[in-house]
Amino acid sequence: QVQLVESGGGLVQAGGSLRLSCAASGRTFSGYTVGWFRRAPGKEREFVAAIRWSGGSTYYADSVKGRFTISRDSAKNTMYLQMNSLKPEDTALYYCAAGIVSIGQLFVTTKNSYDYWGQGTQVTVSS
């Protein structure tokens, strides 16, 4: 069993930055794909970014490419999402997710591919 705990959310002005963290307990992330999804009010949960723990391949939604960077620290068993140039439309509840995900963009970006989820951390971007 894997427990995921997110942190780092908050209120920021448009153009600002935040860094989200996702720490795991129960086992290491080794062999897993770990990612971020978000859900804005009235919308479905959507893919943001993911990283394969072994190898480090990264994936991003088009809406965040060039602004967000996902990374990992194996020693701390923690994943990060650096969010720069934030926009009001980035406002959402951000969830960390982990799973043994098949190779391919389609699988990585599909929420049903992930087995473990955190409780979420709120990001609010004011205009």
Side-chain angles (χ1 to χ4, degrees):
Q1 191 74 7
V2 178
Q3 291 82 43
L4 305 177
V5 179
E6 305 99 334
S7 61
L11 173 63
V12 64
Q13 288 187 330
S17 299
L18 283 173
R19 188 176 80 156
L20 305 184
S21 300
C22 174
S25 61
R27 62 152 291 159
T28 69
F29 278 137
S30 179
Y32 278 61
T33 295
V34 192
W36 292 95
F37 288 74
R38 66 187 182 187
R39 186 175 65 204
K43 295 187 177 181
E44 294 289 321
R45 192 176 301 194
E46 65 174 4
F47 171 77
V48 176
I51 186 167
R52 293 198 182 275
W53 204 260
S54 304
S57 297
T58 57
Y59 306 80
Y60 295 94
D62 289 341
S63 59
V64 307
K65 278 181 183 175
R67 300 188 298 123
F68 291 10
T69 302
I70 191 168
S71 62
R72 71 200 192 290
D73 185 330
S74 297
K76 295 181 179 180
N77 209 36
T78 300
M79 175 186 61
Y80 303 97
L81 185 68
Q82 178 66 43
M83 304 186 296
N84 298 328
S85 302
L86 282 161
K87 305 174 181 180
E89 50 264 43
D90 294 318
T91 295
L93 188 60
Y94 283 70
Y95 298 91
C96 173
I100 299 177
V101 180
S102 299
I103 299 294
Q105 181 86 7
L106 177 63
F107 296 105
V108 171
T109 61
T110 301
K111 57 182 181 291
N112 290 342
S113 297
Y114 296 81
D115 300 305
Y116 303 104
W117 292 85
Q119 293 300 306
T121 184
Q122 178 68 37
V123 172
T124 303
V125 184
S126 63
S127 57

